[in-house]
Amino acid sequence: MGQNTENKEAFRDSIGTVTKEGKRAWVHPKKPSGNYYKYRKYVSYFLLAFLFLAPFIKINGNQFLLFNVLERRYNIFGLPFWPQDFYLFVISMIIGVVFITLFTVAFGRIFCGWICPQTIFMEMVFRRIEYWIDGDRGAQIRLAKQSWNAEKIRKRLIKWFIFFIISFVIANIFLAYLIGSDQLLRYILEGPKNHSSTLVSLFIFTGVFYFIFAWFREQVCIIACPYGRLQGVLLDNKSIVVAYDYKRGEGKNGRKKFRKNEDRNALGHGDCIDCSQCVHVCPTGIDIRNGTQLECVNCTACIDACDHIMESVGYPKGLIRYASIENIEKKTPFRLSPRMKGYIAVLTILTGLLIGMLFLRNDVEATVLRLPGQLYEHKGDYLISNVYTYKIINKTVRNIDSVQIKLMSPKGEVKSVGNKVFSIPREGLAEGTLFIEIDKGLLENDKTKVKLGIYSGDTLIETTSATFLGPRSYR
């Protein structure tokens, strides 16, 4: 009994994409079809359209999504963010982690099968091209085994060339998110000779994408993706995953090939007719009948394949379906567990915090700092002067005109080097040098906190503070 159990669990000691000798085992999944696959195509094409169009959509002149790390410029849904808004990014990332954790605890790895860019590109773009050129599962296996004749060379070259072109296009879109679509289009129009470093980066990205989708493929989900490892510690018996109903499928005496006019219930066999279609269609090469596995990305291809077979032999569909282990064993409906309720509470609090921070986020941010290494200066008998540098960031999509800096407390005067009144361009900054002069009788000690107001015309748009140095109090 112990040996049988050990043999049944032996599949967990290895992965389906590596042979016993440690070599790559290529997975040739059968082309999926069915209702879930149809819905996945709708979702995938929508997300692909969004991915390709987002860098070229403008809201108030801002790129819809931009992650320019080098210039520290970020646009989220058309709203500009700056490095000074990093705390918002941190809160957003924490919310994302909690949401993914909650989603995984409740619905397993459904994100991987339906939304993940790796799966969408692999299954809905590259594999579909492969089916078109190489044929379905059987044809692909025969082509892989045959010698390098004219047919194989022709098909391989065509496929690799198309894969390279698509990888190059993806790399361009990726670059548009990093440097901005306007910048990318300008580089293209000016020609590669004028931007050789960008072209080198582009080919590096192309090589990475080509390697992933032409060779590494499903191993990204199995080996490289940290989320695949994370799900192993998050799932429990209440999580809804793509599951095989082993009670119905195995019966008392296990699965058995289908025979017409045979009373399987009387013989003690389950509804699984051991056709292996769920295995052949799996893009990661696993057998879902072995239970929940690390490699499963919840793509539902096995559900469609099994439903088709069940319908063909006249059995009820749903032998493989979205269900929890608890639902299969005890027929209990889905309920929120205490752990899920805890995650929902944390997610609600963090989301409320982020919304509050977004409403409180200033459109203008000013920094005034004393010039390093400079002491105070006497001006006449009564005035003390300090020199400062200022930087004012305009986070909005409009120019801010008639800007001036005034001393709010204590009483004194601000003298700017250059124009006293200036403008701050949209999504830009203004910086310069200024002097603050204060009567020494108003200084409380050698270090006094001063409050400065940034005005646009007569409207106060931001306040900031700085330290003013002076002699000891004369009081």
Side-chain angles (χ1 to χ4, degrees):
M1 183 70 178
Q3 188 173 357
N4 291 336
T5 304
E6 185 179 340
N7 291 336
K8 285 181 180 179
E9 295 295 320
F11 72 93
R12 298 192 187 277
D13 298 331
S14 60
I15 56 177
T17 56
V18 178
T19 64
K20 292 180 180 180
E21 294 78 23
K23 297 181 179 179
R24 173 70 183 276
W26 283 91
V27 177
H28 299 284
K30 183 180 178 182
K31 185 177 181 180
S33 62
N35 287 329
Y36 278 111
Y37 186 64
K38 180 177 68 175
Y39 296 138
R40 279 179 60 213
K41 284 196 292 187
Y42 295 155
V43 172
S44 298
Y45 294 151
F46 170 78
L47 292 175
L48 284 172
F50 177 83
L51 178 71
F52 279 87
L53 294 176
F56 303 96
I57 296 174
K58 299 289 181 66
I59 296 178
N60 294 325
N62 284 323
Q63 186 170 309
F64 190 68
L65 289 174
L66 175 67
F67 307 97
N68 192 332
V69 179
L70 296 178
E71 297 180 8
R72 296 183 295 176
R73 292 173 53 223
Y74 311 94
N75 293 341
I76 310 294
F77 304 134
L79 297 174
F81 289 86
W82 292 73
Q84 289 79 2
D85 299 315
F86 183 73
Y87 64 96
L88 295 173
F89 174 77
V90 172
I91 295 293
S92 300
M93 290 299 295
I94 295 173
I95 289 174
V97 170
V98 175
F99 177 78
I100 289 176
T101 302
L102 170 63
F103 204 71
T104 304
V105 170
F107 303 110
R109 208 172 171 181
I110 192 172
F111 170 86
C112 298
W114 289 75
I115 303 175
C116 177
Q118 157 68 19
T119 304
I120 290 174
F121 275 115
M122 188 69 249
E123 302 303 323
M124 298 300 173
V125 179
F126 288 90
R127 277 212 206 276
R128 288 177 68 82
I129 291 170
E130 199 165 56
Y131 291 134
W132 173 56
I133 296 173
D134 293 348
D136 209 339
R137 171 181 163 81
Q140 288 183 21
I141 293 173
R142 289 192 296 272
L143 186 67
K145 290 180 178 179
Q146 76 182 47
S147 58
W148 284 89
N149 54 21
E151 179 196 12
K152 185 171 183 176
I153 293 172
R154 175 177 58 82
K155 287 185 175 181
R156 286 288 186 264
L157 289 178
I158 292 173
K159 184 174 73 172
W160 291 340
F161 176 74
I162 295 175
F163 280 10
F164 179 82
I165 295 299
I166 296 174
S167 299
F168 184 74
V169 172
I170 296 172
N172 275 273
I173 297 299
F174 182 72
L175 201 60
Y177 280 99
L178 295 181
I179 66 173
S181 56
D182 292 340
Q183 190 88 319
L184 177 66
L185 292 174
R186 184 171 68 82
Y187 286 175
I188 293 173
L189 292 174
E190 291 177 357
K193 290 183 179 179
N194 298 319
H195 305 283
S196 56
S197 60
T198 303
L199 186 65
V200 170
S201 302
L202 196 60
F203 277 115
I204 291 174
F205 287 137
T206 301
V208 170
F209 289 126
Y210 182 82
F211 168 76
I212 289 173
F213 295 116
W215 191 84
F216 205 52
R217 318 192 112 188
E218 68 283 338
Q219 293 188 114
V220 172
C221 308
I222 299 172
I223 300 172
C225 179
Y227 181 49
R229 301 290 187 222
L230 180 65
Q231 76 152 353
V233 298
L234 293 177
L235 298 181
D236 57 29
N237 288 344
K238 294 180 176 62
S239 303
I240 294 178
V241 295
V242 173
Y244 166 67
D245 190 341
Y246 64 90
K247 286 200 166 186
R248 175 188 155 190
E250 302 295 317
K252 292 181 180 179
N253 297 322
R255 61 189 76 135
K256 185 179 184 292
K257 294 291 184 181
F258 177 75
R259 289 183 181 176
K260 284 186 177 181
N261 303 321
E262 184 178 59
D263 191 346
R264 298 174 68 90
N265 289 332
L267 295 172
H269 295 293
D271 285 356
C272 178
I273 63 172
D274 205 19
C275 63
S276 296
Q277 291 302 303
C278 58
V279 181
H280 294 162
V281 81
C282 179
T284 58
I286 65 169
D287 188 342
I288 193 63
R289 296 172 297 180
N290 288 329
T292 303
Q293 295 156 72
L294 170 70
E295 298 93 328
C296 180
V297 294
N298 285 21
C299 70
T300 69
C302 55
I303 296 180
D304 282 330
C306 186
D307 282 350
H308 175 71
I309 295 298
M310 291 294 103
E311 201 170 31
S312 301
V313 298
Y315 294 163
K317 294 190 290 187
L319 181 59
I320 301 175
R321 63 182 186 273
Y322 275 122
S324 65
I325 302 300
E326 195 174 79
N327 174 257
I328 290 173
E329 292 179 348
K330 303 176 183 178
K331 305 299 180 186
T332 55
F334 174 76
R335 293 190 183 93
L336 290 176
S337 65
R339 184 159 66 130
M340 294 180 199
K341 292 177 182 177
Y343 287 136
I344 291 172
V346 173
L347 187 63
T348 303
I349 293 170
L350 288 174
T351 303
L353 181 64
L354 177 63
I355 292 172
M357 286 181 169
L358 287 171
F359 276 109
L360 295 173
R361 173 179 177 261
N362 292 334
D363 291 335
V364 176
E365 189 162 325
T367 304
V368 178
L369 299 172
R370 288 190 68 260
L371 197 64
Q374 295 292 320
L375 297 175
Y376 60 88
E377 181 182 356
H378 288 275
K379 290 286 185 75
D381 294 331
Y382 302 103
L383 293 179
I384 303 296
S385 175
N386 279 205
V387 61
Y388 297 83
T389 59
Y390 68 85
K391 181 182 291 184
I392 307 173
I393 298 173
N394 177 9
K395 301 177 183 178
T396 69
V397 294
R398 66 184 187 281
N399 295 332
I400 300 178
D401 300 316
S402 304
V403 178
Q404 55 183 321
I405 304 172
K406 298 179 181 179
L407 187 62
M408 300 178 72
S409 68
K411 290 182 180 180
E413 188 176 357
V414 174
K415 293 184 177 180
S416 299
V417 177
N419 295 328
K420 184 176 181 180
V421 179
F422 52 91
S423 297
I424 312 175
R426 50 173 292 195
E427 299 178 49
L429 60 88
E431 52 188 339
T433 306
L434 57 83
F435 291 88
I436 297 178
E437 297 178 354
I438 300 176
D439 190 308
K440 60 185 178 183
L442 299 175
L443 302 179
E444 298 176 354
N445 48 48
D446 56 344
K447 289 184 180 179
T448 303
K449 205 77 169 177
V450 295
K451 185 178 180 182
L452 297 157
I454 315 300
Y455 289 81
S456 175
D458 295 326
T459 305
L460 178 66
I461 58 175
E462 175 65 325
T463 60
T464 187
S465 61
T467 301
F468 188 91
L469 296 185
R472 293 281 181 180
S473 175
Y474 282 82
R475 295 182 182 182

